[in-house]
Amino acid sequence: MLVNSIGRCPFRQYMPSKPAKYGIKLWVACDARSSYAWKMQVYTGKPSGGRPERNLGLRVVLDLTEGLSGRNVTCDNYFTSYELARKLLERNVTVVGTVRKNKPELPPRLLAVKGRSPPCSPSRPPPLWCRTSRGRKTGTWCS
């Protein structure tokens, strides 16, 4: 979420695809039914060392879901990874989300299938990778 901000702020972000192009970036965990914001984090940019943080999406989701148990988390392809699903499963939290095709943990057999929608990948214990098709579009999921 990008909150519109035109003031001077050291961690103001620029996102050209958003209606408000400049603002403060927030990571928010919300309840799907009530839209209640359960936890929030402000993204303050790169650490002072100048190098970007590795596994930022993983850290953010783990921080925001701290204290949850017996719930399901739905996220987009920036956050979804096998490691995230495994760590959340240890906390008794499930995750569903789309996955980018270039993730190294995706089983090659799952990407090699063309023209049909195979069942979930049996190559690993849960969490499972799935591939679905809708018309010409194909999606890869982690569940």
Side-chain angles (χ1 to χ4, degrees):
M1 162 191 271
L2 188 73
V3 178
N4 189 17
S5 172
I6 56 173
R8 295 176 68 160
C9 179
F11 50 87
R12 188 173 68 154
Q13 299 290 308
Y14 172 69
M15 298 176 82
S17 62
K18 298 289 184 181
K21 305 214 181 306
Y22 290 92
I24 297 172
K25 191 179 207 177
L26 298 176
W27 308 111
V28 184
C30 296
D31 181 77
R33 289 193 185 123
S34 66
S35 300
Y36 177 78
W38 191 65
K39 274 191 183 175
M40 289 186 186
Q41 265 187 13
V42 176
Y43 177 64
T44 57
K46 289 190 279 188
S48 59
R51 299 185 71 191
E53 181 179 349
R54 293 184 59 90
N55 297 324
L56 176 66
L58 173 71
R59 184 196 54 81
V60 167
V61 174
L62 291 176
D63 288 351
L64 293 177
T65 57
E66 189 70 39
L68 281 180
S69 182
R71 302 285 183 168
N72 180 54
V73 173
T74 305
C75 50
D76 70 358
N77 62 20
Y78 179 77
F79 301 98
T80 310
S81 69
Y82 182 78
E83 188 178 354
L84 173 67
R86 190 179 50 75
K87 287 188 178 195
L88 287 177
L89 202 55
E90 290 172 2
R91 295 183 184 178
N92 194 27
V93 176
T94 57
V95 64
V96 173
T98 57
V99 182
R100 293 180 181 175
K101 286 183 183 179
N102 61 353
K103 290 280 189 175
E105 62 259 20
L106 276 177
R109 289 189 338 195
L110 191 64
L111 294 175
V113 177
K114 215 171 189 174
R116 66 180 179 94
S117 182
C120 293
S121 168
S123 62
R124 294 183 173 160
L128 298 175
W129 297 113
C130 298
R131 188 160 175 123
T132 58
S133 303
R134 180 178 283 173
R136 291 180 163 201
K137 293 197 173 196
T138 306
T140 308
W141 297 82
C142 176
S143 177

